[in-house]
Structure formats: C-alpha cells, structure tokens
Amino acid sequence: MESIALVSAILAKLPKIGKWQRQFITHLIPLFMSIKGRINFMQMSRFGTYSMTTYRNQFDKSFPFDEFNAEHIRQKGTGYHAILFDPSHIRKSGKHTFGKGYFWSGCDNDTKAGLEIGGIAVGDIINHTAFHYEAIQTPNQQQLKEQNSNLLQHYAHLLIERKDELATFSSLLAVDCYFSKHSFVDNMLKNTDFNIISRLRDDAVLLYPYMGATTGKRGRPQVYDGKVNVKNPSLNHLSIAYEDDQIRIFSGVVYVKSLQRKVKIAIAHYLEANKSKIKAVKIYFCTDINLSAWHIVKIYKLRFQIEFLYRDANQFTGLEQCQARSEQKLHFHFNMALTTVSLAKSAHYLNLPIEQREAFSMSDVKTIYHNKLLIDRFFDVFGIDHDTHKNNPKVKELYHFGTIAA
C-alpha cells in the first residue's frame, strides 16, 4: 500500500533509528489506519501481529517524531509553508494519569478535566493543508506552578526550543486569537526569528500613526492620529488591498495598544451577497509590516487545517483512546495518531493532481485499510497465493468496498 512505501522512504532518511523500531513503525502506522473502533493496546494485539505487552513496551520507548515528520514534510510539502500552533483538549480519566488537570476545551467552550497537547504543524499554503510535526503534552496547573511558569510562557517555550528546525520550513507562525497578547508576541520576537500572524479581539484599540509634519512647538510631538473605526476605516491611513463579492480587506500599519507595537493589519469586512451590508468584521495582523494583507488573511485561515488534523485523529486514529497513564506512552500515542492522519493524507490525497482532488476523507482511507486487513487474513487462512490474486482487479475492487467514492 502507498502508506507503507511512504513510511519506508521516510525511515530510509533517518539512519539513527534501529532495525527493530523501523519494523515496528512500518507495521504500526498501517495498523492505526486499519483498526475499526477503539485504538488501544488490546485492539492492537487483536488486529496486529504482536502481543499486548510488546505494544506497551514499544510505546514506552522514545521515537523522534519531530525528525520523522520533518522528513515527511520535506518529501511531500511544496516548500511554501507556515508554522501552525494550537493546543487541544484531550478527554482522559484516571487519577494517576500523567498531567491530568483542567484545561480549556474549545468544543465544549468550557474548562474540562483531562489532558492537553500543544500541537505544532506545518501548513502547506499551496495544498491548503497541514502536516503534523509534533505534539507535546501541556503541564497541569500544579506542574506549571512548580516550574514557576504559566500557559503562555510554556507555549512560547515549546516553540523557542524547536525554533531552529521549524525555521527551515517558514519564518511565519500562525496562532489563534488567544495568543494575540503582548507577553507571548514579545517573547517570540525576542527569542526567535518568527513573525506572528494572528487575529485581534473585536474590541482591540488600534491607533493611526501620525504622518503629518511636526509643528515645531514645545512639548512632545504628536504620535497618533486618532482611533481606528474598524467598521469604517479611514482611507487616508489605510488602503483597500482586496475586494470581491464576499470580502473587502483594508490594509495598513497601525499601533495596537494591547501589543504595544506597530503591526501590519488586515481588516476584513465579510459582506452580504449584494455587498450592501457587512456580516462580520475581523482584524488580522502580522508583525512583519511588509507582508501583504491578502497573505495575512490567507495564512491565518490556513491555521484551521491543524484543527482538521485533530478532528480526524479524534474520529479515526484514536487520539483520545490511549490505554496508558505514563508520560512517554501518552506522548507516543498522541504523535502516532496525528502522524498517521498526515501520512494518510499524503499517500491517498496529495499524490493526486490538484485539479483531480476532492475533499479528503479519512473515513475512506480507514475503510480501504480495514478491507485489506480482512482480505489478507482470508488469503492466509485459506492458503491462497497473495501475489497471484492481488494482481486481479477484483481484489482491488474489494479493498474499496464501502467507501464513499465507491
């Protein structure tokens, strides 16, 4: 299958990984795509070729998911990238689970018990998709207190630690509105070469820079030229960077009070069908004042692709179904679930020409691999020669039985 060939090609570029672990990873990724239902150690032993103890022991070993996924991106990405970061709540019970605490859940719009991962992905702007890079578990409130840190400092630290490798893909970092705070933006700009793309709160205070001549009078020179009305921005200070039937984008450099700095903003007016009314106004920004407003909006929207990674990993590769409590096993499971989705997308979607692509369906990929698992098992039990019958188009037709396209 395509995924096995892709995994083998990536592992061939990582000589430090041992023979046994190569064999295990090559077996495990298609297995994650094949299992219907919950994906845990018990299910792996039922559908796989190893015992439950073997799976547990292998999950307890370190694996360089960052290096593996970086090589995957280099092989399958277009080279026109942006770094994406987004935390995600993980439902998990058990008093003794490492990192158990209370974290914000965007799905429930509330703080919930469980775990959290900080997911780093590389967004491909041309393919409009995201490749998983690495997921790191977030410390709970007690652990952060012991580290004399807070959530924003922790998130920034994750990215600063990995800045050199991530910088090989892009100098742009896209994060959601939560991160549009002075402490995070200032920390990233001081300690990395990344420029931040994010969205400001709807009530953010924006000030036009004063561009007029100095008066020569005593006192401090005029710095600002009034507050920005985002619903009716001044065309003396901002320009219309883009306009169509759905959106009008105003662009310019302004001072943002909450960030305590000048940034390039893109004020997007989302329009009704007849362009007579404004449905919504959103304020996007970038710390690189030379980036075009259209690219700021485009890259911010690309950020949502990391949430699709979480969604598919939740629904199809058991992101929240780890049957373990230790830090290392949880780390291995989270990254395996997300990496499997990325590899499935590369092997069964991005390999098609752009004009032939429809919506990516992880459900179809799971169906194909599950059918293959069963058919191969039938061949083994009945002693049927694999090579002869797999060349038969009817067998490939059986692999796709039950897919949406079929």
Side-chain angles (χ1 to χ4, degrees):
M1 295 291 279
E2 293 89 339
S3 65
I4 298 175
L6 178 57
V7 172
S8 298
I10 296 169
L11 290 172
K13 297 290 186 177
L14 305 175
K16 294 182 181 179
I17 299 174
K19 181 179 178 181
W20 166 244
Q21 199 167 42
R22 289 170 182 271
Q23 181 180 330
F24 182 74
I25 295 296
T26 306
H27 157 76
L28 191 62
I29 289 173
L31 184 63
F32 263 60
M33 296 185 196
S34 304
I35 297 174
K36 290 282 189 177
R38 297 182 67 82
I39 299 180
N40 52 38
F41 297 129
M42 184 176 292
Q43 287 284 80
M44 292 176 208
S45 66
R46 288 171 175 168
F47 288 91
T49 57
Y50 304 115
S51 68
M52 189 189 305
T53 302
T54 300
Y55 288 108
R56 284 184 178 274
N57 290 340
Q58 289 300 312
F59 272 54
D60 206 26
K61 295 181 179 179
S62 176
F63 181 78
F65 282 101
D66 54 346
E67 296 179 19
F68 181 90
N69 288 311
E71 181 57 37
H72 173 211
I73 298 163
R74 282 191 283 268
Q75 290 191 19
K76 292 297 181 179
T78 61
Y80 190 28
H81 298 141
I83 309 302
L84 314 177
F85 178 78
D86 194 41
S88 179
H89 178 263
I90 303 291
R91 294 178 181 85
K92 183 71 172 174
S93 58
K95 294 181 180 179
H96 302 289
T97 300
F98 178 83
K100 177 80 179 296
Y102 289 87
F103 300 94
W104 178 259
S105 170
C107 293
D108 298 317
N109 201 29
D110 196 6
T111 301
K112 295 288 185 180
L115 309 177
E116 183 185 87
I117 54 173
I120 304 172
V122 175
D124 191 308
I125 298 171
I126 293 176
N127 285 320
H128 196 67
T129 191
F131 297 98
H132 174 62
Y133 178 77
E134 189 179 12
I136 305 94
Q137 191 173 341
T138 304
N140 59 28
Q141 294 80 356
Q142 181 60 36
Q143 291 167 332
L144 286 172
K145 187 176 180 180
E146 292 171 358
Q147 297 170 11
N148 195 26
S149 182
N150 58 43
L151 274 178
L152 279 178
Q153 289 172 345
H154 166 73
Y155 296 143
H157 179 67
L158 295 183
L159 295 162
I160 292 168
E161 273 191 326
R162 295 157 178 80
K163 63 180 181 179
D164 293 336
E165 179 63 39
L166 293 173
T168 63
F169 297 110
S170 178
S171 62
L172 298 173
L173 171 66
V175 289
D176 71 8
C177 186
Y178 170 77
F179 295 91
S180 60
K181 296 177 173 64
H182 172 258
S183 59
F184 178 82
V185 172
D186 197 52
N187 195 358
M188 294 302 299
L189 294 181
K190 284 181 178 178
N191 294 290
T192 73
D193 294 326
F194 294 132
N195 278 296
I196 312 299
I197 292 177
S198 187
R199 183 172 68 84
L200 294 168
R201 286 173 46 140
D202 294 342
D203 60 352
V205 176
L206 314 178
L207 300 172
Y208 295 118
Y210 178 71
M211 306 300 290
T214 57
T215 62
K217 297 181 180 179
R218 293 177 61 187
R220 184 188 181 195
Q222 185 174 350
V223 178
Y224 306 117
D225 197 16
K227 185 178 177 181
V228 179
N229 179 353
V230 295
K231 292 186 177 179
N232 186 25
S234 168
L235 292 179
N236 293 328
H237 297 85
L238 305 181
S239 61
I240 298 177
Y242 179 83
E243 184 175 13
D244 60 24
D245 292 338
Q246 298 178 329
I247 190 172
R248 182 183 298 122
I249 301 174
F250 296 88
S251 171
V253 177
V254 302
Y255 180 85
V256 180
K257 190 173 181 180
S258 61
L259 299 179
Q260 301 177 30
R261 68 175 60 247
K262 290 180 181 179
V263 297
K264 181 71 168 286
I265 61 163
I267 302 175
H269 288 187
Y270 294 93
L271 309 173
E272 297 283 0
N274 57 7
K275 299 175 66 174
S276 61
K277 291 185 178 180
I278 300 172
K279 290 191 295 185
V281 177
K282 298 298 177 185
I283 313 165
Y284 308 100
F285 77 89
C286 181
T287 55
D288 179 3
I289 61 174
N290 295 314
L291 191 66
S292 71
W294 171 244
H295 279 91
I296 294 173
V297 176
K298 185 179 180 69
I299 292 172
Y300 184 83
K301 289 185 176 181
L302 179 67
R303 189 197 65 80
F304 289 99
Q305 292 298 316
I306 194 174
E307 298 186 11
F308 296 146
L309 278 179
Y310 293 145
R311 180 200 65 186
D312 287 343
N314 262 316
Q315 294 180 0
F316 301 108
T317 57
L319 180 63
E320 295 184 338
Q321 296 166 4
C322 182
Q323 201 176 30
R325 300 179 298 185
S326 71
E327 180 182 9
Q328 176 55 42
K329 290 177 183 175
L330 288 167
H331 178 81
F332 193 104
H333 184 96
F334 296 147
N335 281 281
M336 180 55 65
L338 289 161
T339 298
T340 300
V341 174
S342 281
L343 290 166
K345 192 179 295 185
S346 290
H348 299 278
Y349 177 70
L350 297 180
N351 61 334
L352 300 173
I354 292 178
E355 60 274 7
Q356 295 180 19
R357 294 175 195 165
E358 297 179 357
F360 171 68
S361 173
M362 190 64 196
S363 176
D364 278 359
V365 174
K366 289 278 289 190
T367 300
I368 292 168
Y369 277 79
H370 184 69
N371 289 346
K372 182 182 183 302
L373 184 72
L374 292 178
I375 292 167
D376 289 352
R377 181 62 177 160
F378 292 153
F379 282 7
D380 289 339
V381 169
F382 290 107
I384 302 173
D385 188 294
H386 281 233
D387 295 329
T388 301
H389 287 78
K390 283 189 177 179
N391 290 330
N392 189 330
K394 294 296 182 182
V395 175
K396 293 183 179 179
E397 184 180 324
L398 289 175
Y399 287 169
H400 288 80
F401 178 74
T403 60
I404 296 172

